[in-house]
């Protein structure tokens, strides 16, 4: 690793704008923005993927490797990524810093505590939870109905036993009520942190966050409770983006980590704006497949921040297409041309969906060592039939050099970019129900939506409060276009079941909870934590 001061200098950042966290990590001071704000923006490129499969698609890997390749190809490129969450790192997913010769470093520190941003979000969120219960205990001047408090607690860990709890048990411990925990990355404070423009905007958004309703049914916010300044104090450092590097020294801004199957799944607006001032091209990613992360990137992040992506890179693997063609996870390494051709409908739909936003698409075929040449050729031929540029990426094995083919294709795509092409999918003035319907029919290709009584009550509250202008954040399984994880490929004509709709007024969206989605994940039978160990030299092993 190069010293982070050297990485910063190469990116045009003077040391006076760095707030160092050791030799290899730094926060970027607000003073840097004052120096950069009048510079022209680079071009923003979203890296997304087909629906995730057990073999892994390598979206973060491709983002990192392609950023290295673009720099090798002579285009000054910066990556802007999300922070990994401890829950997935110690659960099923493992680390989220790339792999092979396309990693961000120091990987173990980034995957674990990093600069403490997620811990700060956890503390600020739980401070508000404690203030709510204390307010009720101390006399309840706001007349909060304990049974209509919508603000849960959070922790950055997968723990299914905390999904539903009862608080206040025992004498003198407050009002007994049902409550629960979410994972920190599902916290509205994480979403607010990632969508705010600066510290003042952060405070404004924190103040708008809904915490519950009075006995008379009126909404109560964190601002009403007087909690904003204390939360802002805890988030003072977390609002500053973090600078690290790839194995080849490419600057990477990592900031924020909202889940894409629950929240909006994109790194911070602040970090993206810094990156756009520092690079000719900025590669960023959105979580899970394009039906979730990319849709929310376009419809929520870009809309709120006034950003216009210049292109989208869709990461595809031979294995992911065969899985969507019906091959079991144990047989994905076996050549199967029929399954591959059958599973291509998943890739084709993602391409068509991305084009609906007016953004040109490039397919990056992430190469695995066991991929048969005939299968690779079949994918490239399918892209040619769809008139979509495509190239093979081998950045895991070769680093930036293995991504030069994709880099050259991206350079060509950006050179041909037509101004004013991008547009969100739905209009702000549509009702929440119409926005949900648009996403379900246009992106998922479902036939319609079925609401539970609880969801219909939530729609009525939204209409009563005049909140139809909010964007929609779909909480849905990432594994299928539908709300049923086992419906692979490109299902159509299904009905999406909406269980409930919650309001994230600070983030500016309504969270639509579909299917069996949960906001607190559980651990698998063999958690990744079981493979971790610390050797006698203090070196961490097993965090992959």
């Amino acid at each position: 690793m190069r010293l982070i001061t050297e990485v910063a200098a190469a990116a045009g950042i003077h040391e006076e704008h760095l707030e160092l966290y050791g030799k290899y990590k730094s926060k970027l001071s607000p003073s840097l923005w004052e120096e950069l704000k009048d510079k022209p923006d680079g071009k923003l490129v979203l890296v997304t993927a087909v629906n995730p499969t057990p073999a892994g698609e390598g979206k973060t890997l491709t983002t990192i490797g392609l950023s290295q390749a673009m720099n090798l190809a002579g285009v000054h490129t910066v990556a802007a990524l999300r922070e990994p969450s401890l829950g997935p790192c110690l659960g099923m997913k493992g680390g989220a810093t790339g792999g092979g010769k396309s990693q961000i470093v120091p990987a173990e520190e980034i995957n674990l505590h990093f600069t403490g941003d997620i811990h700060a979000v956890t503390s600020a969120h739980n401070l508000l939870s404690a203030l709510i219960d204390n307010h009720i205990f101390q006399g309840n001047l706001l007349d909060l109905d304990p049974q209509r408090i919508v603000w849960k607690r959070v922790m950055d860990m997968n723990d299914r036993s905390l999904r539903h709890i009862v608080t206040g048990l025992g004498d003198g411990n407050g009002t007994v009520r049902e409550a629960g925990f979410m994972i920190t990355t599902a916290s509205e404070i994480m979403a607010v942190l990632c969508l705010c423009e600066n510290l003042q905007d952060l405070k404004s958004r924190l103040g708008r966050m809904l915490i519950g309703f009075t006995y008379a049914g009126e909404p109560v916010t964190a601002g009403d409770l007087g909690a904003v300044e204390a939360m802002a104090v805890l988030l003072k450092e977390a609002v500053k983006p973090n600078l690290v590097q790839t194995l080849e020294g490419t600057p990477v801004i990592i900031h924020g980590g909202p889940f894409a199957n629950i929240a909006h799944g994109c790194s911070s607006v602040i970090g993206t704006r810094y990156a756009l001032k520092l690079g000719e091209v900025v590669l960023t990613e959105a979580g899970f497949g394009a039906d979730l992360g990319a849709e929310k990137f376009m419809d929520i992040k870009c809309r709120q921040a006034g950003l216009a992506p210049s292109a989208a890179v869709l990461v595809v693997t031979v294995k992911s297409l065969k899985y969507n063609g019906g091959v079991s996870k144990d047989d994905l390494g076996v050549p199967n041309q029929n399954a591959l051709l059958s599973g291509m409908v998943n890739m084709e739909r993602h391409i068509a969906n991305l084009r609906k936003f007016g953004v040109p698409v490039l397919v990056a075929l992430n190469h695995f060592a066991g991929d048969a040449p005939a299968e690779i050729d079949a994918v490239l031929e399918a892209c040619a039939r769809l008139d979509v540029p495509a190239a093979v990426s081998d950045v895991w094995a070769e680093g930036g050099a293995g991504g030069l083919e994709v880099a050259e294709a991206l350079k060509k795509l950006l050179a041909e970019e037509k101004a004013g092409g991008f547009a969100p999918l739905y209009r702000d003035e549509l009702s929440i129900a119409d926005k949900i319907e648009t996403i379900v029919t246009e992106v998922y290709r479902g036939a319609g939506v079925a609401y539970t009584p609880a969801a219909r009550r939530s729609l009525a509250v939204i209409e009563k409060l005049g909140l139809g202008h909010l964007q929609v954040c779909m909480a849905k399984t990432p594994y299928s276009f539908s709300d049923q994880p086992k419906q692979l490929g490109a299902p159509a004509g299904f009905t999406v079941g909406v269980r409930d709709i919650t309001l994230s007024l600070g983030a500016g969206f309504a969270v639509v909870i579909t299917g069996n989605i949960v906001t607190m994940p559980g651990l698998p039978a063999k958690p990744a934590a079981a493979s971790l160990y610390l050797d006698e030299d203090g070196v961490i092993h097993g965090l992959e």
Side-chain angles (χ1 to χ4, degrees):
M1 289 184 286
R2 299 167 64 187
L3 295 175
I4 198 63
T5 50
E6 297 175 3
V7 175
I13 303 171
H14 299 126
E15 190 169 349
E16 66 194 75
H17 302 306
L18 301 179
E19 298 178 8
L20 300 176
Y21 280 64
K23 296 180 181 180
Y24 307 110
K25 309 186 296 290
S26 179
K27 283 205 168 280
L28 298 176
S29 169
S31 63
L32 176 61
W33 180 251
E34 293 305 311
E35 184 176 287
L36 295 176
K37 64 183 181 182
D38 294 326
K39 291 184 62 177
D41 285 348
K43 294 190 174 184
L44 182 61
V45 176
L46 174 69
V47 180
T48 184
V50 294
N51 291 99
T53 67
E57 284 55 62
K59 181 161 42 52
T60 302
L61 169 82
T62 302
T63 306
I64 297 164
L66 182 54
S67 72
Q68 295 179 150
M70 290 289 283
N71 279 298
L72 286 178
V75 181
H76 182 44
T77 300
V78 177
L81 302 175
R82 293 175 300 161
E83 300 180 37
S85 165
L86 273 181
C89 284
L90 302 178
M92 181 170 65
K93 184 177 178 181
T97 53
K101 293 186 177 180
S102 292
Q103 295 186 48
I104 43 177
V105 287
E108 287 84 3
E109 294 178 29
I110 295 168
N111 276 319
L112 296 175
H113 304 291
F114 199 25
T115 57
D117 293 345
I118 295 182
H119 296 318
V121 170
T122 302
S123 296
H125 185 112
N126 289 333
L127 169 65
L128 181 54
S129 299
L131 290 172
I132 292 168
D133 283 314
N134 184 63
H135 179 85
I136 295 172
F137 180 77
Q138 300 292 353
N140 198 8
L141 293 179
L142 291 173
D143 208 27
L144 262 171
D145 182 350
Q147 305 310 314
R148 296 196 67 189
I149 293 171
V150 298
W151 192 261
K152 294 184 178 182
R153 286 167 167 79
V154 298
M155 64 183 298
D156 190 25
M157 197 60 61
N158 295 5
D159 192 343
R160 63 174 59 83
S161 65
L162 293 177
R163 288 173 184 164
H164 301 287
I165 63 171
V166 176
T167 59
L169 294 173
D171 291 338
N173 295 327
T175 302
V176 176
R177 65 180 183 89
E178 291 187 25
F181 274 80
M182 304 186 300
I183 193 164
T184 299
T185 42
S187 165
E188 185 180 356
I189 294 181
M190 177 63 80
V192 161
L193 180 75
C194 289
L195 288 169
C196 73
E197 297 280 350
N198 49 45
L199 183 58
Q200 287 307 119
D201 187 32
L202 174 68
K203 288 185 180 183
S204 178
R205 288 173 176 270
L206 291 173
R208 295 198 298 269
M209 295 189 308
L210 181 70
I211 61 173
F213 294 86
T214 66
Y215 286 102
E218 296 300 316
V220 181
T221 67
D224 295 330
L225 194 64
V228 171
E229 290 300 329
M231 287 190 290
V233 167
L234 293 177
L235 297 168
K236 180 176 75 75
E237 297 303 315
V239 77
K240 302 171 184 174
N242 308 289
L243 179 68
V244 289
Q245 62 188 297
T246 72
L247 287 175
E248 296 180 14
T250 294
V252 182
I253 293 176
I254 303 184
H255 196 214
F259 273 10
N261 61 333
I262 301 168
H264 69 290
C266 305
S267 61
S268 77
V269 168
I270 293 176
T272 304
R273 291 206 189 283
Y274 275 87
L276 286 168
K277 299 299 184 184
L278 292 168
E280 296 175 80
V281 169
V282 172
L283 295 177
T284 190
E285 66 170 350
F288 292 121
D291 57 315
L292 279 173
E295 185 272 316
K296 295 174 184 180
F297 174 83
M298 308 288 189
D299 279 328
I300 297 176
K301 178 177 177 177
C302 289
R303 187 198 307 259
Q304 289 197 23
L307 299 171
S310 296
V313 176
L314 182 70
V315 179
V316 175
T317 67
V318 165
K319 290 184 176 182
S320 68
L321 298 180
K322 287 191 290 189
Y323 186 79
N324 273 285
V327 174
S328 71
K329 64 180 181 180
D330 296 326
D331 296 322
L332 292 176
V334 180
N336 189 326
Q337 196 81 354
N338 289 334
L340 178 72
L341 294 174
S342 177
M344 281 187 190
V345 292
N346 188 267
M347 175 185 74
E348 291 169 4
R349 181 173 291 179
H350 283 296
I351 291 170
N353 284 346
L354 288 168
R355 283 174 161 170
K356 289 185 177 185
F357 294 96
V359 174
V361 183
L362 165 66
V363 169
L365 179 57
N366 184 22
H367 179 255
F368 281 64
D371 292 346
E375 292 178 320
I376 293 173
D377 290 343
V379 177
L380 297 178
E381 289 167 6
C383 292
R385 288 195 300 272
L386 295 168
D387 195 26
V388 176
V392 177
S393 171
D394 206 1
V395 296
W396 187 92
E398 300 177 19
L404 284 173
E405 187 179 339
V406 183
E408 291 301 329
L410 180 57
K411 285 173 62 178
K412 185 173 185 293
L413 200 64
L414 293 174
E416 298 170 350
E417 179 193 3
K418 297 177 182 177
F422 167 71
L425 185 66
Y426 54 78
R427 303 188 313 277
D428 282 325
E429 57 267 25
L430 290 179
S431 69
I432 294 294
D434 285 343
K435 290 169 184 171
I436 296 170
E437 187 90 13
T438 299
I439 294 172
V440 167
T441 56
E442 293 289 319
V443 177
Y444 307 159
R445 311 301 172 89
V449 184
Y451 295 96
T452 65
R456 291 197 177 279
R457 287 194 296 271
S458 296
L459 280 175
V461 169
I462 290 169
E463 184 176 343
K464 176 186 174 184
L465 297 177
L467 297 173
H469 63 278
L470 296 173
Q471 281 113 50
V472 162
C473 183
M474 301 295 290
K476 180 185 77 70
T477 176
Y479 303 113
S480 170
F481 279 103
S482 76
D483 59 352
Q484 302 301 313
K486 294 184 179 179
Q487 290 188 3
L488 304 179
F494 50 85
T495 298
V496 170
V498 175
R499 294 198 342 258
D500 202 358
I501 303 171
T502 62
L503 292 170
S504 295
L505 301 183
F509 53 67
V511 180
V512 181
I513 301 173
T514 71
N516 294 319
I517 200 75
V518 293
T519 55
M520 168 57 86
L523 291 171
K526 186 179 179 182
S531 301
L532 285 181
Y533 70 94
L534 195 65
D535 68 20
E536 59 187 14
D537 296 319
V539 177
I540 298 169
H541 298 270
L543 186 58
E544 299 175 354

